[in-house]
Amino acid sequence: MRVGIIAPNYYPAETGNAVTVRRIEAQLRLLGCEVRVFPVERLPGERLQAAVAEFAPQILHAFHAYHGGRVAYALSKSLGLPYLITLTGTDIYQALCDQRGLEMHGALRGAARLVAFHACVKKRLGEHLSSLEERTVLIHQGVELPTEYAPLAGAGEKEEFVFLLPAGLRPVKNVLFPLAPLAELHARYPQVRLELAGPVLEPGYAAQVMEALERYPFARYLGVVAHEAMGELYRRVDVVLNTSLTEGGMANTVLEALSYAKPLLVSDIEGNRSIIRDGVTGLVYHSAADFCSKAEHLVTDAHLRDRLGKNGRCLVRDNCCPEKEAGAYLALYRDILGAA
């Protein structure tokens, strides 16, 4: 089967959309599919249509209803190809709620199927466009389960206690949030550190982050960490954070941290609650004060960190198999083509 993937944010490779697309792309090839990715930022307008026409896919698979779905909708009309859209987060939690919403309606309605990572995303879509809920399929995000995941040698003897926030620098990731509460914690526990890792996605916001970091010497920006190097980073740090304002359900960085048996402290949003059960597979905070209190608990209680990490790894081992994820997409492609 020939599958054309319409991918926004395919570069840099460290963005959440890129990680998702590259994982599914690789797994589909292992299942015998011929796959070509069309990065919308690199192939604008007529060049994109010509490239897709030359490849002649049987089906188009778009990611993000606004950035990828509208492109697939236009290609479908011009080339007569069926398409599906995987909803990735900001399309449903932001774009559908603002001035971009009307632009998305045609793309959403024209899709043969829509895919959500979790029922909370499907429910949110249904609140806006109830007629689409029955055409929305749930396929959980997958994550590679590393065989080596124990802390790096000597990590338990280091003087620093490191919180890691892996996120692209843009407002929805809310990376400024942990600075003030962790500064309060740092005053009581001088070993506390914060490390930020991720690409600059919105330069204006990134400039605010860099300016803020100058006021908090316990925190530092690592820059872009190559995805293949993230495993070593997860193994080195003590706790992984997610401070996002919205997530599309099952954020890649959360799943990856769980796969490395790392304890998580995450914001109280639907996307995080779709994975993290407070006190079982991680800790969920509701305010800055709650964040500080739970962060302190993680600093002082090694048994809690160990228990959360083990539970989290078991969760992704049992529910987030990348082979099953790709197999579900392949079955969906066949279903769409069989009904065409």
Side-chain angles (χ1 to χ4, degrees):
M1 183 180 297
R2 292 189 311 283
V3 181
I5 294 181
I6 309 300
N9 303 317
Y10 193 66
Y11 301 100
E14 293 74 26
T15 65
N17 278 346
V19 170
T20 295
V21 170
R22 290 166 192 266
R23 179 186 64 251
I24 294 171
E25 171 192 0
Q27 291 295 332
L28 286 172
R29 289 200 174 103
L30 292 176
L31 291 174
C33 294
E34 187 178 351
V35 183
R36 186 171 298 178
V37 176
F38 299 93
V40 296
E41 295 89 352
R42 300 285 179 94
L43 289 168
E46 293 181 358
R47 286 178 55 202
L48 176 60
Q49 180 170 323
V52 172
E54 180 185 10
F55 177 57
Q58 294 165 269
I59 192 167
L60 295 174
H61 184 173
F63 287 78
H64 197 285
Y66 184 77
H67 295 300
R70 293 180 308 140
V71 175
Y73 178 51
L75 290 169
S76 175
K77 289 197 294 184
S78 60
L79 300 176
L81 295 170
Y83 69 97
L84 68 152
I85 301 173
T86 291
L87 310 171
T88 60
T90 54
D91 46 5
I92 300 304
Y93 286 91
Q94 291 186 345
L96 194 57
C97 307
D98 61 29
Q99 71 277 6
R100 295 170 292 178
L102 289 176
E103 296 182 63
M104 289 168 52
H105 285 191
L108 289 166
R109 290 196 171 100
R113 294 286 189 282
L114 303 168
V115 177
F117 299 141
H118 191 270
C120 65
V121 180
K122 180 177 179 177
K123 180 175 181 292
R124 182 61 65 100
L125 174 65
E127 291 171 355
H128 290 272
L129 298 166
S130 59
S131 62
L132 298 180
E133 199 166 355
E134 64 182 34
R135 284 194 286 127
T136 304
V137 179
L138 297 181
I139 299 180
H140 287 171
Q141 288 255 61
V143 66
E144 299 288 345
L145 202 65
T147 54
E148 294 185 5
Y149 62 93
L152 294 174
E157 302 168 5
K158 60 184 173 58
E159 295 181 0
E160 297 180 345
F161 187 99
V162 181
F163 290 86
L164 171 68
L165 176 51
L169 301 188
R170 54 179 175 147
V172 71
K173 297 301 181 181
N174 201 24
V175 299
L176 290 168
F177 169 82
L179 289 170
L182 284 181
E184 181 182 335
L185 197 61
H186 175 71
R188 297 196 298 273
Y189 304 92
Q191 72 270 32
V192 165
R193 300 289 185 273
L194 172 65
E195 294 183 351
L196 309 175
V200 171
L201 299 179
E202 295 195 19
Y205 184 74
Q208 295 178 41
V209 173
M210 300 310 162
E211 182 181 353
L213 289 178
E214 294 180 5
R215 302 193 299 272
Y216 297 98
F218 70 90
R220 64 177 181 143
Y221 174 54
L222 302 179
V224 177
V225 177
H227 190 248
E228 59 269 21
M230 284 299 295
E232 183 173 343
L233 181 56
Y234 286 126
R235 293 176 67 191
R236 179 175 62 77
V237 304
D238 299 283
V239 174
V240 176
L241 304 174
N242 181 293
T243 56
S244 295
L245 300 175
T246 66
E247 289 285 0
M250 313 190 82
N252 282 301
T253 53
V254 171
L255 296 178
E256 289 168 359
L258 293 175
S259 76
Y260 281 91
K262 285 298 167 183
L264 278 139
L265 176 57
V266 304
S267 55
D268 184 15
I269 58 173
E270 283 183 338
N272 285 334
R273 294 195 304 270
S274 72
I275 312 170
I276 301 301
R277 184 178 166 196
D278 191 32
V280 179
T281 51
L283 298 181
V284 179
Y285 69 85
H286 315 287
S287 64
D290 193 35
F291 175 96
C292 193
S293 174
K294 288 179 174 176
E296 181 173 18
H297 200 179
L298 288 166
V299 170
T300 59
D301 192 339
H303 292 294
L304 173 65
R305 298 195 302 272
D306 184 62
R307 178 173 61 81
L308 295 177
K310 287 178 178 176
N311 288 347
R313 183 172 164 89
C314 289
L315 173 72
V316 295
R317 180 198 64 200
D318 296 341
N319 296 282
C320 301
C321 172
E323 293 83 6
K324 289 183 179 178
E325 176 189 29
Y329 276 113
L330 182 55
L332 188 57
Y333 301 157
R334 288 171 173 159
D335 181 53
I336 292 169
L337 293 173

